[in-house]
Amino acid sequence: DAMVIQNPRYQVTQFGKPVTLSCSQTLNHNVMYWYQQKSSQAPKLLFHYYDKDFNNEADTPDNFQSRRPNTSFCFLDIRSPGLGDAAMYLCATSRSGQGNSPLHFGNGTRLTVT
Amino acid sequence: EDQVTQSPEALRLQEGESSSLNCSYTVSGLRGLFWYRQDPGKGPEFLFTLYSAGEEKEKERLKATLTKKESFLHITAPKPEDSATYLCAVQPSGSARQLTFGSGTQLTVLP
């Protein structure tokens, strides 16, 4: 089945130790997103890629970066995680040019910072 | 600034007890309103898109409706497997990609 896959499902890192989360998709969608979701809160958009065009939300901390080496893969790098960065990180894809194409989400990576 | 407010924050129903979830929104022109279901520890799963006031969509026990200011997700005769968090999101006109999500309604259906 075509899908969005995130790895790992659970990630534990130490305060200040860089961490990378990965996302792959078999949907061949050209738009990919990274969302941060804290407990009982709305998903918050961090970045999105329209093809290779990177779009950073104005309030996304500089500590967060992203890479998209090809259509299928996207990475979220957290350079120096703080305790406040503990959250669920969700990757999503959509197809542009089809009006209101819904987002397809992966099952997320739960990040714990110790 | 676009805003989405969902109510109630949490809802407990007995199996078979129908109810509605509310999503109120403020947006400068609506391109689309989306409903998602999110199970614990998983990503949101797409349910419906609504485009214009008066539109309705149904899927099994769920029916979504849209007015100019709010959307309702009606759940008819719910079952325990309908327990989840239901998220509403709006896409404003002129924005091809960015959604604004509400914080969701956590639904628990008791057997």
Side-chain angles (χ1 to χ4, degrees), chain A residues 9 31 33 35 37 40 42-43 48 50 57 88 90 99-100 102-103 105-107, chain B residues 31-32 34 36 38 41-44 46 49 51 87 91 97-99 101-103:
Chain A
R9 288 297 311 278
V31 190
Y33 311 76
Y35 282 85
Q37 187 179 28
S40 300
H48 69 274
Y50 186 102
E57 295 304 299
M88 173 77 87
L90 295 165
N100 299 311
L103 301 185
F105 285 88
N107 278 329
Chain B
R31 184 167 180 164
F34 299 80
Y36 287 85
Q38 187 173 24
K42 294 193 174 182
F46 170 71
T49 309
Y51 297 98
L87 294 168
Q91 185 173 50
R97 298 173 284 279
Q98 184 173 350
L99 297 183
F101 278 88
S103 54

Side-chain angles (χ1 to χ4, degrees), chain B residues 11-47:
Chain B
L11 180 63
R12 292 167 68 92
L13 299 173
Q14 290 294 135
E15 184 172 3
E17 179 186 2
S18 301
S19 187
S20 297
L21 314 183
N22 178 263
C23 171
S24 297
Y25 63 90
T26 303
V27 65
S28 53
L30 180 69
R31 184 167 180 164
L33 184 142
F34 299 80
W35 281 98
Y36 287 85
R37 169 189 171 130
Q38 187 173 24
D39 292 300
K42 294 193 174 182
E45 176 187 350
F46 170 71
L47 293 173

Side-chain angles (χ1 to χ4, degrees), chain B residues 25-73:
Chain B
Y25 63 90
T26 303
V27 65
S28 53
L30 180 69
R31 184 167 180 164
L33 184 142
F34 299 80
W35 281 98
Y36 287 85
R37 169 189 171 130
Q38 187 173 24
D39 292 300
K42 294 193 174 182
E45 176 187 350
F46 170 71
L47 293 173
F48 305 109
T49 309
L50 300 167
Y51 297 98
S52 58
E55 187 175 3
E56 299 183 351
K57 290 202 176 163
E58 290 188 61
K59 180 180 180 180
E60 296 181 354
R61 295 176 292 282
L62 300 177
K63 183 168 86 171
T65 62
L66 180 64
T67 73
K68 289 186 177 179
K69 294 183 178 180
E70 57 192 350
S71 177
F72 292 93
L73 185 64

Side-chain angles (χ1 to χ4, degrees), chain A residues 44 46-47 56-65 85:
Chain A
K44 177 181 179 298
L46 297 173
F47 328 91
N56 191 34
E57 295 304 299
D59 57 354
T60 298
D62 293 339
N63 196 27
F64 291 82
Q65 296 179 333
D85 296 327

Side-chain angles (χ1 to χ4, degrees), chain A residues 8 18 43 59 65 83 95 97-98:
Chain A
D59 57 354
Q65 296 179 333
L83 297 179
R95 186 186 301 279
Q98 288 193 349

